[in-house]
């Protein structure tokens, strides 16, 4: 039995050491803590996100979006585009916001009821269903229902 335990101890030590050696260093970004935008009419913009997209805008003027909603993606994407990219067109803003949604059909119905133009839809993407709209400040908003 003791001869059997030596390899087990060796493997356990090796895996423990490898895990410690491969651990990510401290002093790194762990996620997105918020998205902050300037607006000529910040109250009207907050109301639009509350009324049209259903964000739970609190008295402090923003919304805390949980990560543990059923079906929510386990990670958030960050990506830099070349300055010449038209990925965010027709918006002239230097950023866009992507919101994960639980039911694309329901959010599209909500948008249409609020007379928001759907700029584009993609229901056949390998990553899920997408729709794009612009908020009142002209920021492109990408809606994504993950697969």
């Amino acid at each position: 039995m003791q001869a059997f335990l030596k390899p087990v101890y060796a493997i356990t030590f090796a895996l423990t050491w490898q895990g410690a050696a491969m651990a990510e260093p401290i002093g790194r970004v762990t996620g997105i803590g918020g998205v902050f935008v300037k607006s000529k009419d910040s109250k009207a913009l907050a109301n639009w996100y509350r009324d049209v997209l259903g964000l739970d805008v609190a008295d402090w003027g923003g919304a805390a979006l949980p990560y543990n909603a059923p079906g929510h993606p386990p990670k958030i994407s960050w990506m830099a585009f070349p300055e010449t990219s038209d990925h965010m067109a027709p918006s002239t803003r230097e950023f866009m916001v992507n919101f994960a949604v639980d039911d694309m059909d329901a959010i599209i119905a909500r948008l249409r009821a609020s007379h928001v133009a759907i700029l584009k839809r993609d229901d056949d993407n390998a990553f899920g269903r997408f729709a794009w709209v612009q908020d009142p400040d002209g920021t492109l908003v990408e809606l994504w229902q993950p697969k």
Side-chain angles (χ1 to χ4, degrees):
M1 184 83 135
Q2 196 170 18
F4 169 76
L5 289 178
K6 284 184 183 181
V8 171
Y9 290 136
I11 291 169
T12 302
F13 174 78
L15 290 174
T16 302
W17 179 82
Q18 181 183 17
M22 296 178 72
E24 294 189 38
I26 60 170
R28 61 186 174 81
V29 173
T30 61
I32 298 217
V35 175
F36 307 96
V37 299
K38 289 183 178 182
S39 175
K40 290 180 182 177
D41 191 344
S42 59
K43 288 184 182 183
L45 188 64
N47 289 341
W48 186 88
Y49 277 86
R50 181 196 64 221
D51 299 340
V52 175
L53 293 183
L55 265 66
D56 187 12
V57 177
D59 292 339
W60 51 270
L65 304 172
Y67 288 96
N68 61 350
H72 189 278
K75 297 196 178 201
I76 295 175
S77 297
W78 178 93
M79 184 175 180
F81 287 88
E83 187 175 29
T84 57
S85 173
D86 65 352
H87 188 79
M88 294 163 215
S91 176
T92 58
R93 306 282 300 255
E94 294 178 336
F95 67 94
M96 76 172 185
V97 179
N98 170 295
F99 288 109
V101 301
D102 60 354
D103 185 322
M104 185 62 74
D105 295 327
I107 197 113
I108 293 294
R110 182 182 200 138
L111 290 163
R112 287 191 174 134
S114 297
H115 308 289
V116 175
I118 310 301
L119 301 174
K120 183 179 170 188
R121 285 195 62 179
D122 182 354
D123 289 332
D124 299 319
N125 190 289
F127 293 104
R129 299 173 71 193
F130 290 87
W132 292 266
V133 299
Q134 281 184 284
D135 74 13
D137 283 353
T139 304
L140 188 65
V141 177
E142 182 177 71
L143 304 169
W144 169 45
Q145 181 179 345
K147 279 193 172 184

